[in-house]
């Protein structure tokens, strides 16, 4: 069975400083991993995805994540936070054997201080 | 092109009533998923369609929940005898095929409130 743990439920950063959102996963097979963002009263938007190609994945809005199989981690980073980055972020795993259904972590709410 | 659309955007109903939630997929997307997002939590899988058939309904919480996709396009999630615990945002997502690299695109959701 697949599962995802997001290690921080809330993260607070100052504008212009780095952002780190931590994610660990459990999967029986070679998984695909995703980060989605959800702004208040908006739909889920894909930030980036890993599907067994390069382990360092670049996404939209300056975000990137690194797949580390030995650590079963897929942490999300951004060098410099912007006010518009304030949102809820979800780490997600899927497996072909499970019909590619998505299993979400509990989410990390990011607050950006001016 | 048009994204995934869901109607209604909001639905308020009374305990014990029947509701239907509709999802219109992106044109050409054969795979369709329903998820439920309770307040303060991540979305949870309900059911997955490949074409017209439900390939995996293991996430449906009980037999009050049912979903159909009769022509392999639009899907309807049906909830009988609604309970207050059914209140949540119901999300639909679709993707082009069965490949692991295919992205699931989410609709805006239907917020269901059971009074």
């Amino acid at each position: 069975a697949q599962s995802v743990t997001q290690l921080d439920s809330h993260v607070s950063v100052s504008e212009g400083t780095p952002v780190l959102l931590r994610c660990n996963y459990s999967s029986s097979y070679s998984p695909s991993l995703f980060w989605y963002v959800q702004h208040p009263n908006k739909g889920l938007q894909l930030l980036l995805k890993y599907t067994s190609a390069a382990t360092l994945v670049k996404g939209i809005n300056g975000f990137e994540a690194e797949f580390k199989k030995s650590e079963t981690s897929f942490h999300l980073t951004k060098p410099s936070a912007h006010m518009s980055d304030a949102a809820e972020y979800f780490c997600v795993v899927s497996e072909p054997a499970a019909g590619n259904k998505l299993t979400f972590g509990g989410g990390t709410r990011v607050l950006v201080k001016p | 092109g048009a994204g995934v659309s869901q109607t209604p955007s909001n639905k308020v109903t009374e305990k014990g009533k029947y509701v239907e939630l509709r999802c219109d997929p992106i044109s050409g997307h054969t795979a369709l998923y329903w998820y439920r997002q309770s307040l303060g939590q991540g979305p949870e899988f309900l059911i997955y369609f490949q074409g017209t058939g439900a390939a995996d309904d293991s996430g449906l919480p009980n037999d009050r929940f049912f979903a159909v996709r009769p022509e392999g396009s639009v899907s309807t999630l049906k909830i009988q005898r609604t309970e207050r615990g059914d209140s949540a945002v119901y999300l639909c997502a679709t993707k082009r095929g069965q490949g692991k690299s295919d992205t699931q695109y989410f609709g805006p959701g239907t917020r269901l409130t059971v009074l």
Side-chain angles (χ1 to χ4, degrees), chain B residues 87-100:
Chain B
S87 296
V89 176
Y90 289 81
L91 298 166
C92 176
T94 71
K95 70 184 184 76
R96 184 174 304 279
Q98 301 182 56
K100 65 178 289 187

Side-chain angles (χ1 to χ4, degrees), chain B residues 47-102:
Chain B
I47 186 169
Y48 155 54
F49 288 90
Q50 183 58 46
T52 60
D56 182 353
D57 64 358
S58 62
L60 294 178
N62 51 60
D63 62 5
R64 295 186 298 105
F65 287 75
F66 189 70
V68 296
R69 196 185 185 200
E71 298 179 355
S73 179
V74 171
S75 177
T76 305
L77 179 65
K78 309 180 181 193
I79 310 174
Q80 299 177 324
R81 304 183 304 280
T82 52
E83 300 178 356
R84 293 194 179 87
D86 299 335
S87 296
V89 176
Y90 289 81
L91 298 166
C92 176
T94 71
K95 70 184 184 76
R96 184 174 304 279
Q98 301 182 56
K100 65 178 289 187
S101 63
D102 292 337

Side-chain angles (χ1 to χ4, degrees), chain A residues 10-112:
Chain A
H10 292 80
V11 167
S12 180
V13 298
S14 297
E15 190 175 21
T17 65
V19 182
L20 168 65
L21 305 184
R22 298 181 295 166
C23 171
N24 287 100
Y25 70 92
S26 173
S27 174
S28 303
Y29 302 96
S30 178
S32 294
L33 292 158
F34 309 81
W35 278 96
Y36 279 84
V37 61
Q38 188 173 41
H39 287 91
N41 299 315
K42 296 285 182 66
L44 285 159
Q45 181 184 18
L46 179 69
L47 277 179
L48 50 80
K49 64 181 179 182
Y50 165 80
T51 57
S52 78
T55 56
L56 182 62
V57 182
K58 294 188 184 297
I60 62 172
N61 301 334
F63 285 94
E64 64 180 38
E66 186 171 9
F67 172 70
K68 292 187 177 180
K69 186 174 182 179
S70 61
E71 298 177 9
T72 61
S73 69
F74 190 57
H75 302 332
L76 180 71
T77 61
K78 182 173 180 177
S80 177
H82 190 272
M83 295 300 292
S84 62
D85 295 328
E88 183 103 28
Y89 292 78
F90 292 99
C91 182
V92 184
V93 66
S94 77
E95 293 177 358
N100 292 309
K101 64 186 179 188
L102 303 182
T103 298
F104 285 75
T108 298
R109 184 166 296 279
V110 172
L111 172 66
V112 182

Side-chain angles (χ1 to χ4, degrees), chain B residues 8 13 15 21 27 31 65 67 93 115:
Chain B
T13 191
K15 179 175 178 297
L21 312 179
S27 178
F65 287 75
L115 300 177

